[in-house]
């Protein structure tokens, strides 16, 4: 993944590994929740998967052009070929990894949330989109507040 992000090659279209990694993490978490804490099996595996998860999140947060994310959330437009496949792929990874809802769903949620006066809509967004990671909800909130003013 790091090589794909840092190299200028255009072979960035494989997003299947993000889904596979998310399934492996969910499976591992399920196993860990059913095991006793004294079990020695799986400690290395869970440590490895946890560190891979952190690396993926670090890569996504440091390499995604948040202007592309902002445009996607506000208008539903995907980065064009002019921006290169890299921007499109990184946005795809980000949306898939953090379970970002569609721009239509975000707009509908903000139409309802705007009625409530609150300094941050992240808690309300979390109620509306419980499967979406808080990292993405904070970005959605930032984009929405920037577009208000």
């Amino acid at each position: 993944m790091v090589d794909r992000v840092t190299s200028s090659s255009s072979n960035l279209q494989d997003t299947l590994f993000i889904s596979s990694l998310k399934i492996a993490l969910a499976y591992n978490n399920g196993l860990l929740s059913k095991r006793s804490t004294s079990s020695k099996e799986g400690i290395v595996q869970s440590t490895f998967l946890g560190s891979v998860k952190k690396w993926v999140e670090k890569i996504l947060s440091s390499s995604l052009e948040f202007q592309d994310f902002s445009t996607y959330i506000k208008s539903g437009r995907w980065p064009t070929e002019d921006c290169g496949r890299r921007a499109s792929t990184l946005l795809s990874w980000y949306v898939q990894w953090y379970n970002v809802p569609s721009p239509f769903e975000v707009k509908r949620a903000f139409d309802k949330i705007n009625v409530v006066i609150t300094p941050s809509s992240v808690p309300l967004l979390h109620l509306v989109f419980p499967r979406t990671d808080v990292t993405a909800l904070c970005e959605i909130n930032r984009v929405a507040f920037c577009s208000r003013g």
Side-chain angles (χ1 to χ4, degrees):
M1 186 175 180
V2 172
D3 291 340
R4 291 177 181 183
V5 170
T6 58
S7 73
S8 61
S9 71
S10 62
N11 189 12
L12 288 173
Q13 296 170 343
D14 178 23
T15 61
L16 186 59
F17 73 93
I18 292 283
S19 295
S20 299
L21 180 58
K22 286 179 72 173
I23 289 170
L25 287 166
Y27 179 75
N28 187 59
N29 288 338
L31 287 177
L32 290 176
S33 67
K34 293 179 183 176
R35 284 192 190 154
S36 69
T37 55
S38 63
S39 174
K40 292 183 180 181
E41 294 179 32
I43 292 174
V44 172
Q45 176 184 352
S46 62
T47 302
F48 171 75
L49 285 173
S51 68
V52 169
K53 178 183 179 211
K54 289 292 183 191
W55 270 107
V56 167
E57 290 171 351
K58 183 178 178 181
I59 290 167
L60 289 175
S61 68
S62 65
S63 56
L64 178 69
E65 296 292 328
F66 284 100
Q67 181 60 38
D68 294 331
F69 182 75
S70 176
T71 302
Y72 170 71
I73 289 297
K74 289 178 186 177
S75 65
R77 285 186 309 212
W78 208 254
T80 62
E81 285 293 320
D82 299 339
C83 299
R85 288 188 177 153
R86 181 179 182 271
S88 180
T89 302
L90 288 171
L91 181 58
S92 172
W93 289 347
Y94 189 89
V95 166
Q96 190 175 8
W97 183 257
Y98 290 119
N99 293 320
V100 176
S102 74
F104 173 74
E105 292 172 310
V106 171
K107 182 182 179 334
R108 191 172 57 189
F110 267 103
D111 288 345
K112 293 178 183 176
I113 291 172
N114 280 338
V115 176
V116 180
I117 299 172
T118 178
S120 173
S121 55
V122 173
L124 295 173
L125 285 171
H126 187 63
L127 290 173
V128 176
F129 305 116
R131 292 184 59 225
T132 303
D133 192 273
V134 174
T135 304
L137 293 177
C138 290
E139 278 304 309
I140 291 169
N141 182 61
R142 185 189 61 78
V143 168
F145 274 115
C146 288
S147 65
R148 281 186 203 170

